[in-house]
């Protein structure tokens, strides 16, 4: 059956010729783009009855489409026939036994024909326009007589479902929804009872769902079904105006997938559940904008103040209160004063002030999140750093179900958030129930929802648990396809089944990917012997894994992750020794000069113990502070190959530093370096290594063979931050974790104390006890100098005198970022040697500083530091066998709660997670990462690392079942839709 593409329903009321011309052209364009057919059918309502020439003229102007006819509207068949001069002939034809309905003839005979009647319809008004039209189409056809050529099945409700099903399969490759609407129209035209409309729609919905639910087991789906649905063009959503369509396209929402992957940034509770508002807390509120004022305070200073009124339920004395009761509770209104300040004359001109003021409309319902500060007036709070999202205008009637988390989307090029929510919700409606390319047993094994449930769960969760489960599923997918793709590519490169099985086995059993000590180079073994301790089993395994990688002909790209103080440095040193042992060079890059110096001293100390001078590698230190003559000599040594190992800061990646044969680059605390920095390091060394003199003159064949290889990269991090784990996903078997601590360590006892007079006294008393017992104390300050703006902050320099007087029997040292490099080194050296007992410092000591007998740390204004930062700082003590303490002095009582978490745990992963929870739902989702690494839109890698493991196992399982994925056509199709990965630093 030929199907026309579209019907244009137009009403004469209020539309001029220009408007109709636009409409006709618009539909014609859409019809032209439609691969299914290029016929156009126009339905014009009664207003045009007297102006038949006008639409005819319009239609003539339409090119590229086959114009079927122009049907002019009548209110019903009776009217049409009653007006017709050929009425009798028409009825005769209808009743005649050999009646054949000929549309062309009918149109010729009756220039104005409508099949069905149309109430007045708004022309392209809002997204629902088209569906409203079809909804309002009332079947009232042919007075009960059915033309004989029309199959009676079409009007039999029992058969209708099957017919629709057959239509669906006929159309499965097309731009379905428009055509589906069309089919409904056709069914209505031939149907008798208005009630059928609903039945038909339901049936159609079912049919649309059918291909996937039919599948039952996912593996039975056709290879393209999932991709076909998700990668449909956005115009498959009915009723989008041309403007809306292009707006969505401009925002990058070309397909349903793109739209559904625009995840909420966070969720809010529209009710502002009762909360105690403390100074400095990060909170989120929903409220109404009361005013927005931009004020010019002076010739170069202006500010914007937006006042938002929020209703907050009072706290209930009865804690067992149910959510329903919460609604009944008394509410009070609080006022948030959102303030933004602008400095500079260009920010004080009227147009600028007007524009920022008008950004916020009075009456809009908004969601505001940020840090609150109490103001003088009761129930008035100030927010200086905030996010504001318009939920809806005051007049919007849209009501969101109470109690459900309300999704807040990241803004997209000024797209109306309400429209975005609506369009996402409509996309969800057309998703088949069982949309999922993953085999069911995979998702069931790890208790994850189906893909369609995950999309619904992330966009319209019934509660936060549902949202979290959905998020986990989507994260799983991100990791899974990444792992699947990587392994699939590797398998493709292998010939036989045995080889492929062998590779998968290696991945399933990582213990096979290690090189045991017996096979390590002699210099590595010697270095092991001079260590003052034996390696822990984790360290030993990590070293073996790394050395296995070093011996392979592909560049390693591995992340060595382990909590603070677990002993990563020595593992990296061993890896460097292995490379040096085979005649190559090693570079060790750290983020600070202080750390470079420390590592250099530490390594020299260990190498000194090696007796055989021929086994001692030459090591150099190169930082920004290295005197230029010395730096020149070092660079020369590196170029000739006289220097085997260099430790330094980012100066190592400077263009003028050339290596003779660099084989390994260790990047300590790698997240401190940008992706681009690391990339430069990588490629630079690659090019330098091919010009290597050492290699070209070497008689060693293997060295000659891999001359064009990029250096191995070993990144180290104590913080499992997103980028680092993303990085870990690149190399083969790329993540190594050190899970245990050296023996004899006891957890650092942490005390959270309020920084009032009594609190300080207590802290000083504990310090004295520790010093008397022979300990060393770090005092950590948020700032170097006292500041007038922030008088409450303790400053390192300013406190030196006070502390020296207080602990007169002990020596105090000072260390901060403004000191010269040699001064810093000296301060640290004195503290290490015991010449000073107390070190007043800023957060310069945060990373890597290793003084094993430092036994106590006191952090002033601890609330000023992030949780991860405090964890790192605390890691500076407890690095030896001495029992250690850490005191966090908080200047406000409200911050005690957040800090208490540190008292309970010393697990970096747990703390990272808690930090996010306590910081509030500000930025839980959609945390994008920049750079060249792939983006994980929903994964918080610092806490979702275990899902990576699940995904890895699932990918292995799938590939073990089918190496070429032939048994999983959906997975294969989905894999091809996902972005290919780019190697590190590309
Ligand atoms: N197996 C071991 N047994 C005893 N002590 C060890 C062992 N391994 C390392 N250490 C010591 O533990 C301390 C911390 O080691 P290292 O500096 O390598 O830790 P790290 O993981 O790099 O820590 P951070 O992340 O804080 O830089 C050092 O003083 C080191 O000498």
């Amino acid at each position: 059956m030929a199907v026309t593409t579209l019907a244009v329903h137009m009403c004469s009321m209020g539309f001029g010729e220009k408007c109709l011309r636009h409409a006709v052209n618009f539909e014609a364009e859409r019809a032209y783009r439609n691969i299914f057919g290029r016929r156009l059918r126009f339905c014009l309502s009664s207003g045009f009855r007297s102006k038949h020439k006008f639409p005819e003229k319009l239609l003539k102007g339409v090119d590229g489409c086959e114009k079927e006819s122009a049907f002019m509207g009548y209110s019903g068949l009776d009217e049409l026939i009653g007006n017709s001069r050929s009425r009798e002939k028409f009825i005769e034809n209808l009743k005649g036994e050999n009646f054949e309905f000929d549309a062309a003839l009918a149109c010729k005979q009756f220039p104005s024909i409508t099949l069905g009647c149309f109430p007045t319809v708004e022309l392209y008004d809002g997204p629902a326009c088209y569906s409203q039209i079809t909804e309002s189409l009332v079947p009232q056809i042919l007075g009960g007589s059915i033309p004989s050529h029309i199959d009676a099945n079409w009007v039999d409700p029992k058969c209708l479902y099957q017919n629709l099903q057959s239509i669906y399969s006929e159309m499965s490759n097309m731009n379905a929804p428009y055509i589906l609407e069309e089919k409904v129209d056709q069914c209505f035209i031939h149907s008798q009872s208005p009630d059928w409309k609903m039945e038909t729609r339901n049936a159609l919905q079912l049919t649309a769902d059918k291909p996937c639910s039919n599948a039952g087991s996912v593996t039975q789906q056709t290879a393209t079904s999932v991709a076909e649905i998700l990668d449909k063009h956005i115009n498959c959503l009915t009723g989008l105006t041309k403007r809306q369509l292009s707006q969505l396209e401009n925002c990058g929402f070309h397909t349903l997938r793109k739209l559904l992957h625009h995840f909420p940034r966070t969720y809010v509770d529209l009710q502002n559940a009762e909360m105690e508002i403390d100074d400095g807390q990060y909170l989120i509120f929903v409220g109404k904008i009361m005013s927005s004022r931009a004020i010019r305070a002076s010739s170069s200073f202006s500010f914007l103040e937006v006042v938002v009124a929020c209703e907050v339920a009072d706290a209930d004395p009865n804690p067992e209160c149910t959510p329903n009761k919460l609604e009944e509770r008394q509410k009070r209104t609080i006022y948030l004063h959102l303030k933004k300040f602008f400095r500079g004359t260009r920010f004080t001109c009227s147009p600028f002030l007007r524009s920022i003021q008008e950004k916020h409309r009075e009456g809009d319902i908004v969601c505001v999140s940020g840090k609150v500060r109490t103001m003088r007036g009761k129930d008035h709070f100030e927010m200086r750093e905030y996010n504001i999202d318009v939920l809806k205008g005051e007049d919007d009637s849209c009501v969101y179900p109470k109690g459900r988390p309300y999704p807040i989307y990241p803004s997209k090029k000024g797209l109306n958030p309400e429209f975005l929510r609506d369009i996402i919700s409509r996309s969800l409606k057309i998703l088949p129930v069982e949309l999922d390319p993953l085999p069911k047993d995979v998702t069931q094994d790890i208790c994850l929802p189906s893909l369609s449930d995950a999309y619904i769960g992330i966009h319209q969760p019934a509660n936060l648990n549902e949202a979290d489960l959905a998020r986990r599923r989507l994260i799983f997918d991100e990791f899974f396809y990444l792992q699947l793709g990587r392994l699939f590519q590797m398998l493709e490169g292998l010939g036989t089944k045995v080889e492929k099985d062998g590779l998968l086995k290696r991945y399933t059993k990582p213990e096979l990917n290690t090189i045991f000590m017996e096979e390590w180079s002699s210099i590595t073994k010697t270095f092991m012997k001079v260590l003052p301790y034996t390696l822990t089993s984790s360290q030993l395994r990590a070293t073996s894994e790394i050395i296995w990688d070093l011996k392979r002909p592909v560049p390693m790209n591995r992340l060595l992750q382990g909590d603070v103080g677990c002993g990563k440095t020595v593992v990296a040193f061993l890896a460097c020794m292995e490379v040096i042992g085979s005649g190559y060079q090693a570079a060790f890059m750290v983020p600070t000069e202080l750390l470079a110096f420390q590592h250099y001293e530490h390594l020299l100390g260990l190498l000194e113990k090696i007796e055989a001078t021929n086994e001692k590698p030459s090591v150099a230190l190169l930082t920004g502070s290295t005197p230029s003559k010395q730096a020149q000599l070092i660079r020369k040594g590196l170029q000739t190959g006289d220097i085997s190992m260099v430790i330094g800061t980012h100066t190592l990646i400077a263009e003028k530093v050339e290596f003779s044969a660099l084989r390994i680059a260790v990047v300590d605390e790698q997240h401190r370096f940008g992706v681009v920095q690391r990339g430069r390091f990588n490629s630079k060394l690659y090019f330098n290594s091919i010009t290597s003199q050492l290699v070209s003159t070497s008689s060693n064949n293997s060295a000659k063979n891999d001359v064009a290889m990029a250096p191995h990269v070993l990144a180290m991090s104590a913080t499992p931050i997103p980028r680092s784990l993303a990085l870990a996903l690149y190399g083969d078997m790329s993540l190594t974790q050190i899970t245990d601590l050296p023996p004899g360590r006891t957890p650092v006892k942490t005390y959270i104390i309020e920084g009032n007079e009594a609190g300080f006294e207590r802290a000083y008393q504990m310090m004295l006890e520790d010093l008397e017992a022979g300990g060393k104390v770090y005092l950590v300050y948020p700032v170097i100098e006292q500041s007038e703006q922030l008088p409450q902050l303790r400053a390192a320099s300013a406190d030196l005198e006070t502390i020296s007087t207080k602990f007169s029997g002990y020596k105090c040292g000072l260390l901060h970022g403004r000191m010269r490099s040699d001064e810093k080194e000296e301060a640290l050296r004195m503290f290490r040697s015991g010449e000073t007992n107390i070190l007043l410092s800023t957060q310069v000591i945060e990373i890597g500083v290793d003084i094993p007998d430092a036994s106590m740390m006191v952090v002033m204004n601890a609330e000023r530091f992030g949780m991860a930062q405090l964890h790192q700082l605390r890691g500076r003590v407890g690095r030896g066998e001495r029992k250690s303490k850490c005191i966090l002095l908080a200047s406000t009582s409200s911050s005690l709660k957040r800090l208490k978490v540190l008292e309970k745990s010393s697990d970096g992963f747990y703390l990272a997670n808690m930090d996010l929870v306590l910081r509030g739902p500000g930025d839980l989702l959609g945390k994008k990462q920049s750079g060249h690494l792939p983006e994980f839109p929903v994964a918080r890698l610092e806490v979702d690392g275990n899902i990576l493991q699940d995904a890895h196992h699932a990918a292995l399982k799938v590939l073990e079942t089918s190496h070429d994925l032939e048994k999983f056509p959906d997975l294969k199709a989905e894999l091809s839709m996902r972005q290919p990965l780019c190697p590190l630093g590309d």
Side-chain angles (χ1 to χ4, degrees):
M1 184 199 281
V3 180
T4 51
T5 54
L6 289 161
V8 182
H9 303 261
M10 294 189 284
C11 163
S12 64
M13 320 287 268
F15 294 110
E17 184 178 335
K18 200 173 157 199
C19 188
L20 289 174
R21 198 183 298 281
H22 275 310
V24 169
N25 283 335
F26 176 59
E27 290 301 345
E29 205 182 299
R30 285 213 288 207
Y32 187 70
R33 271 193 267 142
N34 196 314
I35 48 152
F36 191 58
R38 289 181 180 165
R39 288 199 222 164
L40 214 51
R41 187 179 58 187
F42 289 86
C43 304
L44 291 117
S45 65
S46 54
F48 283 108
R49 233 179 283 170
S50 54
K51 303 179 192 168
H52 297 150
K53 287 244 156 48
F54 170 61
E56 276 170 24
K57 219 169 83 192
L58 274 181
L59 287 174
K60 268 186 198 156
V62 176
D63 287 329
C65 295
E66 191 184 322
K67 288 148 281 189
E68 190 166 85
S69 186
F71 296 133
M72 309 303 161
Y74 284 80
S75 63
L77 189 67
D78 283 347
E79 194 194 344
L80 165 72
I81 297 172
N83 283 350
S84 165
R85 265 189 243 136
S86 313
R87 179 181 180 216
E88 276 175 29
K89 200 179 163 193
F90 186 65
I91 293 172
E92 227 177 81
N93 270 346
L94 286 178
K95 288 181 180 166
E97 280 181 24
N98 299 322
F99 173 71
E100 279 208 358
F101 186 75
D102 180 338
L105 184 68
C107 291
K108 222 171 173 181
Q109 284 180 335
F110 310 103
S112 306
I113 295 176
T114 187
L115 297 177
C117 67
F118 303 83
T120 307
V121 212
E122 292 279 310
L123 181 65
Y124 301 116
D125 180 32
C129 175
Y130 190 79
S131 53
Q132 275 166 9
I133 293 163
T134 43
E135 294 279 348
S136 61
L137 187 65
V138 181
Q140 192 192 26
I141 313 297
L142 300 179
S145 31
I146 309 159
S148 59
H149 79 287
I150 296 172
D151 191 333
N153 282 347
W154 273 103
V155 288
D156 180 352
K158 288 183 190 117
C159 299
L160 191 58
Y161 174 80
Q162 281 128 37
N163 283 321
L164 287 165
Q165 228 177 346
S166 73
I167 293 169
Y168 185 87
S169 56
E170 221 179 273
M171 301 186 305
S172 61
N173 288 323
M174 295 146 207
N175 245 351
Y178 276 127
I179 297 160
L180 294 182
E181 294 284 6
E182 177 86 293
K183 287 290 172 188
V184 176
D185 286 357
Q186 291 193 356
C187 296
F188 292 160
I189 286 167
H190 302 301
S191 68
Q192 296 214 353
S193 146
D195 294 337
W196 284 18
K197 187 176 68 172
M198 268 330 288
E199 288 166 24
T200 315
R201 287 207 169 275
N202 293 341
L204 198 54
Q205 187 57 45
L206 281 173
T207 339
D209 291 347
K210 214 61 192 166
C212 288
S213 31
N214 259 353
S217 145
V218 183
T219 46
Q220 287 165 25
Q221 286 179 36
T222 59
T224 48
S225 60
V226 177
E228 211 174 63
I229 291 159
L230 288 180
D231 295 307
K232 254 185 201 157
H233 192 267
I234 198 77
N235 68 10
C236 70
L237 294 171
T238 53
L240 285 174
T241 65
K242 200 172 178 178
R243 199 174 139 262
Q244 288 168 333
L245 202 63
S246 73
Q247 235 185 342
L248 287 169
E249 283 181 335
N250 283 343
C251 292
F253 299 131
H254 299 281
T255 59
L256 285 187
R257 188 195 294 268
K258 288 266 179 204
L259 194 61
L260 291 172
H261 279 241
H262 187 63
F263 301 120
R265 180 162 56 77
T266 185
Y267 303 96
V268 283
D269 178 356
L270 293 184
Q271 294 184 77
N272 288 333
E274 102 282 1
M275 51 185 109
E276 278 171 38
I277 306 171
D278 273 329
D279 205 25
Q281 256 179 313
Y282 185 100
L283 291 175
I284 188 157
F285 296 94
V286 173
K288 193 196 264 189
I289 295 186
M290 306 306 288
S291 68
S292 165
R293 290 181 315 147
I295 293 164
R296 181 175 184 270
S298 74
S299 59
S300 62
F301 179 62
S302 65
F303 67 91
L304 171 75
E305 181 172 18
V306 182
V307 180
V308 178
C310 311
E311 288 216 315
V312 181
D314 269 338
D316 193 331
N318 173 13
E320 282 162 24
C321 187
T322 61
N324 284 343
K325 281 185 190 164
L326 188 111
E327 278 170 38
E328 294 158 17
R329 248 185 257 162
Q330 251 201 340
K331 294 196 170 165
R332 68 189 164 113
T333 305
I334 61 157
Y335 297 90
L336 302 175
H337 297 252
L338 316 181
K339 289 186 184 164
K340 252 197 185 122
F341 300 94
F342 304 91
R343 277 179 207 283
T345 41
R346 65 203 163 108
F347 299 124
T348 53
C349 63
S350 306
F352 172 76
L353 295 177
R354 219 178 11 254
S355 78
I356 54 166
Q357 179 169 302
E358 283 169 3
K359 260 191 188 169
H360 307 282
R361 286 187 310 160
E362 275 176 35
D364 274 3
I365 306 294
V366 289
C367 166
V368 182
S369 56
K371 235 184 202 175
V372 284
R373 300 238 171 260
T374 39
M375 289 173 82
R376 280 220 188 100
K378 188 174 178 281
D379 290 336
H380 285 259
F381 300 90
E382 190 184 79
M383 275 189 183
R384 291 194 178 195
E385 284 162 32
Y386 59 85
N387 266 334
I388 181 163
D389 295 278
V390 177
L391 302 187
K392 54 185 175 170
E394 192 175 31
D395 310 328
D396 282 344
S397 51
C398 149
V399 181
Y400 198 78
K402 272 193 178 159
R404 273 185 170 240
Y406 188 86
I408 305 281
Y409 290 95
S411 56
K412 254 306 193 184
K413 291 189 182 169
L415 208 62
N416 178 322
E418 199 62 32
F419 169 62
L420 190 62
R421 232 183 307 277
D422 173 62
I423 201 83
I424 288 176
S425 146
R426 280 160 54 196
S427 314
L428 291 173
K429 280 190 193 124
I430 64 168
L431 285 188
V433 180
E434 296 224 5
L435 175 84
D436 206 337
L438 278 180
K440 265 200 176 129
D441 51 339
V442 169
T443 44
Q444 274 165 2
D445 269 4
I446 29 188
C447 307
L448 290 175
S450 75
L451 187 60
S452 53
D453 282 348
Y455 282 134
I456 294 169
I458 201 102
H459 290 290
Q460 299 178 337
N463 50 49
L464 285 176
N465 285 346
E466 203 175 290
D468 196 54
L469 204 60
R471 196 183 63 84
R472 290 179 71 80
R473 164 64 209 252
L474 294 165
I475 294 169
F476 177 86
D477 278 20
E478 286 169 20
F479 290 154
F480 175 79
Y481 288 108
L482 206 58
Q483 300 276 338
L484 190 72
R486 194 157 63 83
L487 291 168
F488 182 75
Q489 263 174 1
M490 284 178 166
L491 289 182
E492 263 190 332
L494 294 176
T496 64
K497 186 176 177 306
V498 180
E499 279 177 325
K500 292 182 182 186
D501 280 336
L503 185 87
L504 289 175
K505 206 168 167 195
R506 278 200 169 277
Y507 281 95
T508 327
K509 294 194 164 65
E511 59 275 15
L512 296 177
N513 305 330
T514 50
I515 293 209
F516 292 104
M517 226 191 307
E518 300 77 58
E519 292 171 55
W520 295 2
S521 73
S522 76
I523 184 168
T524 318
K525 283 193 245 174
T526 316
F527 189 80
M528 270 277 287
K529 282 186 201 138
V530 299
L531 290 176
Y533 43 75
T534 38
L535 294 187
T536 64
S537 57
S538 255
Q539 283 172 318
L540 208 56
R541 202 195 56 240
T543 315
S544 305
E545 278 178 17
I546 294 167
I547 293 182
W548 184 77
D549 256 1
L550 296 179
K551 299 221 184 266
R552 297 183 63 215
V554 268
M556 171 184 78
N557 197 1
R558 185 180 282 267
L559 174 73
L560 177 61
Q561 195 269 326
D563 219 338
V564 279
C566 69
K568 297 180 287 291
T569 319
V570 69
V571 174
F573 282 166
L574 284 164
C576 294
M577 291 304 134
E578 182 68 24
V579 161
I580 295 167
S582 44
Y584 291 91
Q585 288 171 303
F588 201 119
M589 183 162 79
V590 294
T592 63
E593 288 189 351
L594 209 58
L595 202 53
F597 179 73
Q598 178 188 291
H599 281 343
Y600 177 67
E601 291 275 290
H602 183 189
L603 184 61
L604 284 190
L606 292 172
L607 291 177
E608 252 171 36
K609 295 184 194 158
I610 297 180
E611 279 160 17
T613 42
N614 61 334
E615 280 201 319
K616 274 190 199 179
S618 54
V619 183
L621 172 73
L622 185 63
T623 68
S625 313
T626 311
S628 59
K629 268 210 174 139
Q630 200 181 333
Q632 217 172 352
L633 279 176
I634 293 172
R635 282 200 298 271
K636 194 148 187 250
L638 288 171
Q639 202 181 17
T640 55
D642 289 342
I643 296 176
S644 320
M645 180 167 172
V646 63
I647 299 178
T649 52
H650 59 276
T651 35
L652 294 187
I653 55 170
E655 239 168 67
K656 50 188 176 185
V657 181
E658 291 185 6
F659 290 85
S660 155
L662 186 78
R663 192 66 184 265
I664 189 168
V666 178
V667 186
D668 194 7
E669 296 298 336
Q670 56 85 34
H671 65 275
R672 307 251 160 187
F673 297 99
V675 176
V676 178
Q677 265 177 317
R678 283 198 306 263
R680 251 175 57 195
F681 194 37
N682 202 7
S683 54
K684 165 187 143 57
L685 298 172
Y686 170 82
F687 289 116
N688 284 328
S689 64
I690 47 174
T691 57
S692 139
Q693 276 183 29
L694 192 142
V695 172
S696 56
T697 55
S698 168
S699 57
N700 183 336
N701 270 344
S702 76
K704 260 182 190 156
N705 289 343
D706 46 29
V707 67
M709 208 178 92
H712 298 291
V713 174
L714 178 67
M716 298 201 288
S717 179
T719 328
I721 60 142
R723 287 241 186 101
S724 41
L725 275 182
L727 172 82
L729 291 168
Y730 283 100
D732 306 340
M733 297 297 293
S734 44
L735 179 68
T736 293
Q737 282 180 304
I738 298 184
T739 46
D740 50 16
L741 288 175
R745 298 268 173 94
T746 45
V748 178
K749 182 108 180 82
T750 307
Y751 302 84
I752 315 294
I753 299 178
E754 196 176 337
N756 49 26
E757 216 172 298
F760 271 104
E761 268 320 304
R762 193 175 152 207
Y764 291 148
Q765 186 54 39
M766 285 162 85
M767 263 175 79
L768 199 61
E769 283 163 20
D770 198 76
L771 289 165
E772 277 168 5
K776 289 180 184 170
V777 184
Y778 289 108
L779 282 180
V780 183
Y781 293 84
V783 288
I784 303 170
E785 307 278 3
Q786 198 92 45
S787 112
E788 274 177 27
Q789 275 103 359
L790 299 162
Q792 76 278 20
L793 296 189
R794 299 284 293 254
S797 289
D799 247 19
L800 183 62
E801 215 182 295
T802 329
I803 298 292
S804 302
T805 324
K806 188 137 199 109
F807 299 92
S808 51
Y810 299 93
K811 280 240 159 96
C812 297
L814 182 68
L815 178 66
H816 58 73
R818 274 195 227 144
M819 285 161 66
R820 281 205 323 269
S821 198
D822 54 340
E823 288 172 346
K824 280 191 255 178
E825 279 160 23
E826 180 60 8
L828 209 58
R829 190 199 60 73
M830 286 175 74
F831 189 56
R832 180 170 283 128
S833 67
E835 287 164 62
T836 50
N837 317 89
I838 303 170
L839 184 66
L840 289 82
S841 160
T842 55
Q843 62 261 47
V844 281
I845 55 153
E846 180 191 330
I847 35 167
V849 168
D850 180 45
I851 298 179
D853 56 352
S855 51
M856 185 166 174
M857 173 172 282
V858 181
V859 185
M860 309 286 178
N861 302 97
E863 74 288 348
R864 304 287 301 187
F865 299 90
M867 196 92 82
Q869 230 180 346
L870 287 172
H871 178 58
Q872 278 276 353
L873 278 171
R874 181 174 59 178
R876 298 309 113 210
V877 290
R879 295 172 83 89
E881 286 181 12
R882 243 186 115 87
K883 274 196 174 173
S884 306
K885 297 186 203 75
C886 176
I887 299 176
L888 305 177
L889 283 163
S891 28
T892 60
S893 55
S894 58
S895 50
L896 289 174
K897 187 179 156 202
R898 184 171 73 95
L899 297 174
K900 285 268 177 212
V901 180
L902 280 146
E903 205 174 46
K904 287 192 203 111
S905 174
S906 53
D907 175 345
F909 271 99
Y910 172 80
L911 290 172
N913 196 7
M914 284 312 287
D915 197 18
L916 284 167
V917 173
L918 288 172
R919 252 197 284 148
D923 195 18
L924 291 191
L925 294 172
K927 197 175 186 184
K928 290 244 170 190
Q929 294 148 50
S930 54
H932 299 268
L933 296 172
E935 292 179 339
F936 296 96
V938 280
R940 304 195 311 258
L941 283 152
E942 64 273 55
V943 289
D944 296 320
N946 57 338
I947 305 181
L948 173 74
Q949 198 74 7
D950 285 342
H952 182 69
H953 290 146
L956 280 171
K957 194 171 153 187
V958 164
L959 285 169
E960 274 168 357
T961 319
S962 172
H963 288 160
D964 50 7
L965 292 179
E966 282 310 308
K967 286 191 192 155
F968 304 96
D970 275 355
L971 275 184
K972 202 170 175 180
E974 184 64 14
L975 192 62
S976 68
M977 292 312 297
R978 302 248 165 181
Q979 293 250 320
L981 298 174
C982 57
L984 168 78
D986 250 14

